[in-house]
C-alpha cells in the first residue's frame, strides 16, 4: 500500500464546520465487513447493533484550551501559540507550535493577556514551527494552570474556517471526558449523548475506559509514498487493569468489543499479549496502523469520516479492507455525509 492509494476527491462543502444540533442525531453509516452491506441510519440507532455483555471502549481524554494568542516583545506582533505538551511542571516548560514561526527565535519573550500577566521565553527550537517555552508567572502551579485555561481557546482544527464560538468548549469534548491532556478531541466519541449512554447501559452494554492523550501528530500529513517510512508522534497512553478485565472477559465470552474511535483502537493495539488479550499499560505510543494489519482486540469500531491521505483513513482501510473502504467512502460522498471532526459517523461491524 502506498500513499497514493489513499487519495480521493473530497468536496469542500462536506467538511463539517459545525456539529449537528443533537449529538446522537448525526448520521451513521453501518458497514458490515462480512456481508459487504452498507446501511444508512442515525447515530442513536447504534443501540440496535449491540447486546448485553458487549463492550464499548471509550477514550476518556479531555481536551484542554491549547490555543493561546500572545504578543511579541518590542514589535507587538500577534503570535499564535499552540500548547502541545508539558515537559516540566516545576519549571513550567512546554513544547509548543508557534505561528508565524519565522518571527520567533530563542531568547524572544511573548506576553499574554490584556495585562501581560503571563510571559513566556523561547528557550529552544524543536522543529520548523516547534519551540520550547518557559512560562514566567507569579503564582502557584494551580494558579498558573488556571491562567492557561482562562487565556486559552478551544483548539478546533484549522480547516474549520470560522472563529471559535462558546458552544465549541462543550461540543469539542466527549461527555465522558475526564483526564485532561489532549489537544484534539477523540471525535468518534462526540456522537454519544448522556441519554444514549444510559440506554446502552440499561441494555447491558459494558464500557471500558482507556486514556490516549491525542496530539497534533494524529493530523500530521503523511509525506512519504512508502507508508512504512512514516513516523507517528508519540502520545501518552494509560490502560488500567480494570479496563483490561472488562475487555478480556467479553472476549472470552465471545461478546463484541467495539473501539470507539481510532484512538481507542490504537490504544488497545499498543498493548496486546501474544494470546490477543489486552494488557495494562502506562507510557507512550507511536503506533501507526496501515494495511495489511492483523487486529488483535476489537472486532468492530465507530469512527468519523476522514480526510484523504490521513493516517486515520489508513487504519480504517486496514480494518475494513481497502476495496470496501473505497466503496463506503464513494457512497458517503454521493449521499452527502459530513466529514471530519464535527461530521457524521461510521459503524464497522
Amino acid at each position: 500500500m502506498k500513499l497514493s492509494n489513499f487519495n480521493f476527491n473530497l468536496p469542500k462543502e462536506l467538511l463539517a464546520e459545525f456539529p449537528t444540533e443533537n449529538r446522537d442525531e448525526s448520521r451513521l453509516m453501518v458497514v458490515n465487513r462480512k456481508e459487504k452491506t452498507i446501511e444508512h441510519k442515525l447515530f442513536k440507532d447504534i443501540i440496535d447493533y449491540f447486546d448485553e455483555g458487549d463492550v464499548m471502549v471509550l477514550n476518556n481524554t479531555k481536551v484542554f484550551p491549547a490555543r493561546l494568542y500572545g504578543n511579541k516583545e518590542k514589535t507587538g506582533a500577534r503570535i499564535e501559540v499552540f500548547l502541545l505538551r508539558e515537559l516540566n511542571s516545576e519549571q513550567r516548560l512546554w513544547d509548543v507550535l508557534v505561528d508565524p514561526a519565522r518571527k520567533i527565535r530563542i531568547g524572544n519573550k511573548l506576553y499574554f493577556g490584556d495585562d501581560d500577566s503571563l510571559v513566556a521565553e523561547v528557550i529552544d527550537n524543536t522543529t520548523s514551527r516547534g519551540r520550547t517555552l518557559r512560562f514566567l508567572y507569579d503564582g502557584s502551579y494551580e494558579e498558573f494552570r488556571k491562567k492557561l485555561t482562562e487565556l486559552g481557546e478551544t483548539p478546533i482544527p484549522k480547516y474549520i474556517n470560522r472563529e471559535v464560538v462558546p458552544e465549541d468548549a462543550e461540543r469539542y469534548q466527549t461527555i465522558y471526558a475526564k483526564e485532561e491532556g489532549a489537544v484534539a478531541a477523540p471525535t468518534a466519541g462526540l456522537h454519544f449523548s448522556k441519554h444514549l449512554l444510559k440506554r446502552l447501559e440499561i441494555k447491558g452494554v459494558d464500557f471500558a475506559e482507556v486514556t490516549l492523550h491525542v496530539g497534533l501528530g494524529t493530523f500530521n500529513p503523511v509525506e512519504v509514498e512508502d507508508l512504512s517510512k512514516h513516523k507517528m508522534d508519540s502520545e501518552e497512553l494509560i490502560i488500567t487493569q480494570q479496563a483490561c478485565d472488562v475487555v478480556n472477559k467479553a472476549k472470552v465470552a465471545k461478546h463484541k468489543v467495539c473501539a470507539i474511535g481510532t484512538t481507542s483502537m490504537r490504544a488497545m493495539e499498543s498493548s496486546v499479549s501474544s494470546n490477543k488479550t489486552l494488557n495494562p499499560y502506562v507510557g507512550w505510543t507511536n503506533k501507526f496502523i496501515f494495511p495489511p494489519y492483523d487486529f488483535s482486540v476489537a472486532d468492530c469500531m465507530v469512527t468519523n469520516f476522514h480526510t484523504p491521505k490521513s493516517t486515520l483513513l489508513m487504519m480504517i482501510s486496514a480494518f475494513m479492507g481497502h476495496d470496501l473502504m473505497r466503496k463506503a467512502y464513494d457512497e458517503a460522498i454521493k449521499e452527502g455525509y459530513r466529514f471530519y471532526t464535527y461530521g457524521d459517523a461510521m459503524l464497522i461491524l
Side-chain angles (χ1 to χ4, degrees):
M1 279 285 170
K2 300 268 186 271
L3 178 62
S4 43
N5 294 124
F6 297 93
N7 201 11
F8 62 92
N9 284 328
L10 178 59
K12 260 273 191 289
E13 64 274 15
L14 294 186
L15 283 173
E17 295 263 309
F18 288 94
T20 48
E21 192 177 341
N22 297 316
R23 286 180 185 264
D24 57 14
E25 287 182 351
S26 50
R27 293 166 75 192
L28 178 70
M29 179 186 279
V30 182
V31 183
N32 187 308
R33 294 180 292 169
K34 201 164 133 209
E35 313 292 339
K36 305 275 191 278
T37 54
I38 293 176
E39 297 176 281
H40 304 289
K41 302 280 185 179
L42 287 180
F43 193 80
K44 58 188 178 188
D45 300 329
I46 196 168
I47 192 164
D48 301 335
Y49 296 89
F50 291 88
D51 299 306
E52 189 175 342
D54 290 341
V55 169
M56 289 183 171
V57 181
L58 312 173
N59 181 5
N60 67 10
T61 188
K62 189 174 184 181
V63 179
F64 66 94
R67 192 175 274 131
L68 305 172
Y69 292 96
N71 297 99
K72 191 179 163 190
E73 63 178 338
K74 295 186 183 133
T75 67
R78 188 173 190 246
I79 305 293
E80 179 191 307
V81 172
F82 196 102
L83 301 172
L84 287 179
R85 60 178 75 89
E86 187 175 48
L87 300 174
N88 183 315
S89 56
E90 270 175 47
Q91 294 182 33
R92 297 179 190 172
L93 294 182
W94 282 77
D95 255 347
V96 305
L97 295 176
V98 292
D99 192 23
R102 64 182 188 285
K103 295 184 173 177
I104 303 301
R105 301 196 171 93
I106 293 172
N108 287 161
K109 282 200 171 75
L110 299 168
Y111 293 85
F112 301 90
D114 296 335
D115 55 357
D116 295 344
S117 55
L118 182 64
V119 183
E121 185 181 4
V122 182
I123 61 168
D124 198 9
N125 291 338
T126 49
T127 60
S128 58
R129 285 181 57 214
R131 301 289 184 271
T132 302
L133 298 188
R134 177 186 285 119
F135 283 98
L136 313 167
Y137 182 73
D138 294 331
S140 67
Y141 178 72
E142 284 66 35
E143 289 166 331
F144 163 65
R145 287 304 298 243
K146 201 170 151 203
K147 192 74 182 170
L148 284 185
T149 301
E150 186 190 304
L151 292 172
E153 70 175 31
T154 305
I156 60 173
K158 279 283 198 195
Y159 85 86
I160 295 182
N161 205 4
R162 60 169 173 81
E163 291 294 308
V164 172
V165 293
E167 293 77 54
D168 287 316
E170 183 209 341
R171 294 300 300 271
Y172 194 60
Q173 195 81 272
T174 62
I175 58 164
Y176 47 78
K178 284 194 194 84
E179 306 294 337
E180 195 171 83
V183 298
T187 54
L190 297 179
H191 303 282
F192 286 90
S193 62
K194 283 197 168 71
H195 181 62
L196 179 57
L197 281 182
K198 196 74 206 156
R199 286 174 62 215
L200 285 161
E201 208 178 295
I202 290 165
K203 196 170 182 182
V205 174
D206 286 326
F207 299 95
E209 294 185 10
V210 297
T211 306
L212 179 77
H213 289 317
V214 191
L216 278 189
T218 298
F219 308 117
N220 274 357
V222 179
E223 288 168 341
V224 285
E225 183 63 9
D226 177 355
L227 300 184
S228 64
K229 303 265 192 300
H230 177 70
K231 292 279 181 287
M232 292 286 276
D233 278 4
S234 289
E235 294 168 321
E236 199 172 356
L237 170 62
I238 299 153
I239 302 174
T240 62
Q241 183 64 57
Q242 184 188 358
C244 295
D245 293 346
V246 173
V247 168
N248 294 335
K249 182 178 147 205
K251 280 184 75 71
V252 168
K254 300 276 191 285
H255 290 301
K256 281 195 197 84
V257 174
C258 185
I260 305 301
T262 55
T263 60
S264 298
M265 184 68 92
R266 277 183 60 225
M268 289 190 282
E269 291 296 321
S270 296
S271 188
V272 177
S273 72
S274 53
N275 55 1
K276 301 203 168 187
T277 55
L278 188 60
N279 287 341
Y281 187 86
V282 177
W284 296 76
T285 178
N286 61 354
K287 190 159 189 70
F288 174 31
I289 297 173
F290 59 94
Y293 184 86
D294 186 19
F295 290 82
S296 297
V297 186
D299 39 33
C300 55
M301 76 182 291
V302 174
T303 186
N304 278 24
F305 288 90
H306 306 295
T307 46
K309 295 185 177 178
S310 60
T311 57
L312 310 170
L313 184 64
M314 291 162 193
M315 182 196 292
I316 302 311
S317 162
F319 189 68
M320 64 193 290
H322 196 70
D323 294 343
L324 185 57
M325 182 273 285
R326 293 304 298 226
K327 183 182 163 191
Y329 268 61
D330 288 345
E331 178 105 350
I333 291 167
K334 191 177 103 214
E335 294 292 330
Y337 274 75
R338 300 158 77 246
F339 274 65
Y340 211 39
T341 301
Y342 277 148
D344 295 315
M346 181 192 276
L347 169 62
I348 309 167
L349 295 169

